[in-house]
Amino acid sequence: MSRSFPKAVWAGSLERYASRETMARMMDRLARGGFDLVIPIIKPGKGGVLYRSERIPMDPALKGVDALRLCIEEAHQRGIKVHAWSSVFREGPESPLVREHPDVVAVRFPSASPLPPGKPNTWVCTARPEVHEYEAAIFREVMDRYDVDGIHYDFIRTGYFQCSCAVCRAKCMELTGQADGVMREPADASNIMARGYEEWSAWRVSNVTRFVETVSDVAHRAGKEVSAAVFISFPLAYCENGQDWPDWARRGLVDIVMPMNYSMSRKEVRYYALTHRPLMEGAPARIWQGLYHGDVRVPADHFMDRVRIVRQCGAQGLVIFEWSGLTDELADRLAAFEQEWIAC
């Protein structure tokens, strides 16, 4: 069903719904709330995947259950579309990619804050061809083996102050004449004004955009939609995370951009929603604001205030992070909101 203000939900923790009964119950709730799209995670970025792959081990938390297929079947029975969600440039130590090519793990900038003891860096280098091929193959496999309506990019960025591996350092030296003086956290006037800094930033952006160009072309040729969870702040997304999502929107590389507008502050939500619309001017893509409601303790009134704010600020749809926080009460409130808005 096409609605004036479509609604979507990110569906993490598939292992909690890895039975026909629990999946059907959640899809009933989504249908009750008038949802148009569910976005189940297929690769969380820990190493395994959450679907039946011929290449990559399934996450043991699913206990062999093909929860993605259950999700698709139950969603389609209720007229709800499905976009397969991958945390693109995140891989854990058990990832086949990392085991075969350990040097693709991103190297944090020399001055970056150290990670907590025992916590591995799960970002991979966005400049490496083997990374692009591995991550693209996941999307191709899912589109070939499952009846998904689209694909969804998440972590489609470099990560803060990543990467200073040998490849990235060599490129930085080529463009700026230095490495450590540019690869510094936090960025300040000295490295931002360095010769070639903007060219080096553009190179980092180009690596991410090249992946989007390649995979989106495959998806669109297959008749699939493409959506993306994107960094809330721009141009910070470009400068520090290598993500130029307004460019993707203007060029039609993605069909829906979903800024992660997760603040609990109504004022901040309004501010960011207002800054996003000019970035989308003339773009064929739509913008659906992403709001946080992953905790059932968040009052429904507070959440609905944020929904009204983003709608008033020009959002063309809503996406909620994530479905574990969706209650029957909130589903009913969201269904009523559609009629409330139409009546206005």
Side-chain angles (χ1 to χ4, degrees):
M1 177 180 178
S2 177
R3 296 177 174 86
S4 61
F5 192 61
K7 297 183 285 292
V9 63
W10 280 292
S13 58
L14 276 185
E15 69 278 3
R16 295 175 56 186
Y17 305 93
S19 73
R20 180 74 64 180
E21 179 183 2
T22 54
M23 188 67 74
R25 190 180 307 126
M26 177 54 78
M27 291 303 166
D28 283 343
R29 183 171 290 164
L30 297 186
R32 176 174 178 167
F35 280 79
D36 303 85
L37 172 65
V38 61
I39 309 172
I41 191 157
I42 58 168
K43 194 203 77 167
K46 297 182 292 184
V49 292
L50 300 177
Y51 68 96
R52 291 197 190 282
S53 170
E54 294 182 344
R55 305 165 45 250
I56 306 170
M58 179 184 282
D59 191 309
L62 289 177
K63 299 179 179 178
V65 175
D66 193 345
L68 177 60
R69 193 168 301 281
L70 286 177
C71 179
I72 294 167
E73 291 173 356
E74 294 296 329
H76 284 175
Q77 285 181 21
R78 294 160 178 81
I80 300 171
K81 289 183 177 182
V82 178
H83 285 192
W85 158 22
S86 179
S87 300
V88 180
F89 293 120
R90 299 292 295 270
E91 293 292 337
E94 301 305 311
S95 162
L97 170 67
V98 172
R99 286 185 166 186
E100 185 174 352
H101 303 283
D103 60 325
V104 303
V105 176
V107 178
R108 291 166 63 80
F109 284 13
S111 61
S113 303
L115 292 168
K119 182 177 181 180
N121 185 15
T122 56
W123 290 97
V124 289
C125 179
T126 60
R128 305 297 185 95
E130 54 268 48
V131 169
H132 282 224
E133 177 52 38
Y134 180 87
E135 305 299 345
I138 290 173
F139 283 119
R140 289 197 301 267
E141 183 175 51
V142 167
M143 287 189 283
D144 288 344
R145 294 167 63 88
Y146 291 85
D147 185 24
V148 294
D149 302 283
I151 59 171
H152 182 77
Y153 304 129
D154 192 13
F155 291 96
I156 186 71
R157 57 188 191 269
T158 60
Y160 280 119
F161 309 107
Q162 313 276 358
C163 155
S164 64
C165 70
V167 171
C168 293
R169 288 177 69 84
K171 191 66 178 182
C172 189
M173 286 291 295
E174 173 190 331
L175 293 173
T176 71
Q178 57 179 317
D180 291 348
V182 174
M183 294 176 166
R184 187 166 63 250
E185 176 195 0
D188 60 24
S190 61
N191 60 328
I192 290 174
M193 292 189 298
R195 177 183 65 85
Y197 178 85
E198 292 187 3
E199 289 80 3
W200 182 67
S201 294
W203 175 75
R204 296 177 75 228
V205 168
S206 73
N207 294 325
V208 178
T209 294
R210 186 170 66 255
F211 180 87
V212 173
E213 290 170 339
T214 300
V215 177
S216 292
D217 181 65
V218 172
H220 285 149
R221 288 178 183 275
K224 308 295 185 182
E225 297 173 323
V226 180
S227 58
V230 298
F231 205 66
I232 186 176
S233 180
F234 196 89
L236 196 64
Y238 182 104
C239 299
E240 294 186 358
N241 279 275
Q243 184 186 82
D244 192 356
W245 60 262
D247 174 61
W248 309 343
R250 287 190 295 268
R251 294 166 56 197
L253 299 178
V254 295
D255 303 296
I256 311 170
V257 291
M258 299 174 171
M260 295 175 286
N261 200 344
Y262 291 166
S263 174
M264 302 302 285
S265 163
R266 298 172 181 85
K267 190 176 186 67
E268 288 187 13
V269 167
R270 182 183 301 277
Y271 168 81
Y272 282 115
L274 287 172
T275 65
H276 294 153
R277 284 301 298 161
L279 298 172
M280 297 287 292
E281 187 172 352
R286 293 153 284 161
I287 184 164
W288 295 14
Q289 287 288 333
L291 298 180
Y292 177 79
H293 195 76
D295 190 330
V296 295
R297 293 173 296 180
V298 176
D301 286 343
H302 187 281
F303 181 77
M304 293 307 301
D305 284 348
R306 287 178 283 142
V307 173
R308 292 185 182 89
I309 286 169
V310 298
R311 184 68 177 92
Q312 292 163 358
C313 293
Q316 296 160 302
L318 168 71
V319 55
I320 300 173
F321 184 83
E322 54 98 41
W323 69 354
S324 62
L326 185 64
T327 61
D328 286 340
E329 177 195 1
L330 189 59
D332 290 341
R333 296 285 294 273
L334 288 165
F337 174 75
E338 179 76 16
Q339 297 306 315
E340 169 191 323
W341 190 265
I342 292 172
C344 291

